[in-house]
Amino acid sequence: VLDFNDPFSTEVKPRILLMGLRRSGKSSIQKVVFHKMSPNETLFLESTNKICREDVSNSSFVNFQIWDFPGQIDFFDPTFDYEMIFRGTGALIFVIDSQDDYMEALARLHLTVTRAYKVNPDINFEIFIHKVDGLSDDHKIETQRDIHQRANDDLADAGLEKIHLSFYLTSIYDHSIFEAFSKVVQKLIPQLPTLENLLNIFISNSGIEKAFLFDVVSKIYIATDSTPVDMQTYELCCDMIDVVIDLSYDGTGTPYDKESMAIIKLNNTTVLYLKEVTKFLALVCFVREESFERKGLIDYNFHCFRKAIQEVFEVRMKVVRSRKHQSHLQKNKRPTPNGTPRMPL
């Protein structure tokens, strides 16, 4: 079991902490994004009363640990070793209930961020302004502006203006929570610039409008090209993945394999094109009908793209194996409790 103190654990599987006050929606977010739970079912979830850890290992890129913390955690409790926890953390997601009085949440956010930053300045601080499905559009914007202003003012008053907070409006009742999690996970993928560059080359040579590289299981997109992301476009891609999996599944085996491919023609002269990249990754493209007439060219370029992705995978796996070996050697060098050297295994 990989633990808080294992440096190999956090190098290979970055740790994401899920924090916030009680009933802010932390466990619901995790269940909807990673366990395919219906948003309505989350109404019956019991409040979390202990730290829950989950490994997310769907592919070589989407590979991390999520630690769900109960809202009543007391940082001043001597039994809570916050330094050990924050030291190996890649991202800290703090969930704020937008439909509640968020003054207490902002105070807890400030305490959490300042403590975490002193231990590990490299943590990405992600603020989910959650449950916005119950707010009007104007109220959403006003709430985000107010929370953004107050949180940054608190940091400025403490002389910590250099701490960067990222803010997202989220809800489990639409795709905003998947979009937000996609942005968080992308920051933890060291190969992201390479993946984006490959996608840019692919779309520019294929006449494609937009392309996403999706983790099929979670519907998190781990990379996209450099053109802006439109929420409606992202939602259509998620819906297409659901359709492909639902239609492919026959009750046995996996519904998504190396032969998976789908074409959906929209009524606005646009084609949605899905192709399997690896067992867990899919490329979903938006193509104009006139460009899709050159499908042979697109498929050839896709073959080159997939080959390049596989090479990135291979390099990543070599690094993982090398670090695992080094970690194993370091453990064997440590003396036993009685002071004698460990025998190599």
Side-chain angles (χ1 to χ4, degrees), residues 5 8 30 84 94 110 134-135 144 162 166 172 176 210 270 312 327 330 337:
N5 284 316
F8 170 72
Q30 188 178 349
M84 192 199 315
F94 195 93
H110 182 73
L135 308 180
Q144 183 175 18
K162 57 192 169 194
S166 299
I172 57 173
S176 59
K210 184 73 183 165
T270 303
V312 175
S327 177
Q330 286 172 358

Side-chain angles (χ1 to χ4, degrees), residues 155-225:
L155 290 174
D157 292 342
L160 296 168
E161 300 97 330
K162 57 192 169 194
I163 296 179
H164 176 71
L165 307 178
S166 299
F167 296 85
Y168 310 84
L169 293 170
T170 61
S171 168
I172 57 173
Y173 290 95
D174 58 31
H175 290 85
S176 59
I177 192 62
F178 294 95
E179 164 84 1
F181 241 104
S182 296
K183 296 287 179 62
V184 172
V185 170
Q186 285 167 27
K187 294 179 184 178
L188 303 179
I189 299 174
Q191 301 89 353
L192 183 63
T194 304
L195 299 178
E196 289 179 343
N197 189 40
L198 288 172
L199 285 166
N200 283 332
I201 294 169
F202 172 65
I203 68 165
S204 64
N205 288 297
S206 306
I208 290 171
E209 304 283 314
K210 184 73 183 165
F212 293 90
L213 190 59
F214 269 92
D215 173 67
V216 178
V217 178
S218 66
K219 290 187 294 189
I220 286 174
Y221 71 93
I222 64 170
T224 185
D225 58 85

Side-chain angles (χ1 to χ4, degrees), residues 13 19 60 65-66 110 213 277-279 287 314 320 342:
K13 285 190 176 183
M19 293 184 161
S60 293
Q65 302 170 1
I66 293 183
H110 182 73
L213 190 59
V277 178
T278 71
K279 184 179 179 182
V287 195
E314 287 168 8
V320 168
R342 291 180 188 270

Side-chain angles (χ1 to χ4, degrees), residues 63-290:
N63 210 0
F64 51 87
Q65 302 170 1
I66 293 183
W67 295 77
D68 185 0
F69 283 75
Q72 66 271 23
I73 282 281
D74 181 8
F75 286 106
F76 297 104
D77 186 333
T79 62
F80 182 75
D81 191 348
Y82 67 87
E83 286 194 13
M84 192 199 315
I85 293 171
F86 292 142
R87 197 176 297 126
T89 294
L92 191 158
I93 299 174
F94 195 93
V95 183
I96 296 177
D97 185 345
S98 66
Q99 298 185 36
D100 200 2
D101 179 10
Y102 45 76
M103 290 304 137
E104 184 185 351
L106 284 169
R108 178 63 67 89
L109 168 66
H110 182 73
L111 174 65
T112 306
V113 167
T114 51
R115 290 252 167 149
Y117 184 78
K118 285 176 183 174
V119 176
N120 181 3
D122 296 325
I123 292 178
N124 295 307
F125 295 107
E126 319 287 352
I127 318 303
F128 285 9
I129 303 170
H130 197 48
K131 303 182 184 179
V132 295
D133 48 277
L135 308 180
S136 66
D137 288 344
D138 288 342
H139 197 179
K140 284 181 192 175
I141 295 168
E142 178 58 30
T143 300
Q144 183 175 18
R145 188 201 62 78
D146 189 43
I147 290 175
H148 184 283
Q149 185 73 42
R150 290 175 184 274
N152 282 306
D153 284 350
D154 288 344
L155 290 174
D157 292 342
L160 296 168
E161 300 97 330
K162 57 192 169 194
I163 296 179
H164 176 71
L165 307 178
S166 299
F167 296 85
Y168 310 84
L169 293 170
T170 61
S171 168
I172 57 173
Y173 290 95
D174 58 31
H175 290 85
S176 59
I177 192 62
F178 294 95
E179 164 84 1
F181 241 104
S182 296
K183 296 287 179 62
V184 172
V185 170
Q186 285 167 27
K187 294 179 184 178
L188 303 179
I189 299 174
Q191 301 89 353
L192 183 63
T194 304
L195 299 178
E196 289 179 343
N197 189 40
L198 288 172
L199 285 166
N200 283 332
I201 294 169
F202 172 65
I203 68 165
S204 64
N205 288 297
S206 306
I208 290 171
E209 304 283 314
K210 184 73 183 165
F212 293 90
L213 190 59
F214 269 92
D215 173 67
V216 178
V217 178
S218 66
K219 290 187 294 189
I220 286 174
Y221 71 93
I222 64 170
T224 185
D225 58 85
S226 56
T227 60
V229 175
D230 174 64
M231 194 63 183
Q232 192 175 11
T233 302
Y234 174 66
E235 289 176 4
L236 282 170
C237 291
C238 290
D239 292 342
M240 184 180 194
I241 290 172
D242 285 338
V243 168
V244 170
I245 290 177
D246 289 346
L247 291 178
S248 303
Y249 192 55
D250 60 0
T252 60
T254 56
Y256 177 80
D257 56 36
K258 63 182 181 180
E259 303 300 326
S260 293
M261 184 269 286
I263 301 168
I264 297 178
K265 292 188 177 181
L266 306 178
N267 58 10
N268 63 350
T269 71
T270 303
V271 176
L272 269 174
Y273 190 31
L274 179 147
K275 291 276 282 183
E276 179 269 349
V277 178
T278 71
K279 184 179 179 182
F280 296 105
L281 295 179
L283 185 72
V284 184
C285 308
F286 275 74
V287 195
R288 294 285 175 197
E289 274 188 3
E290 57 268 26

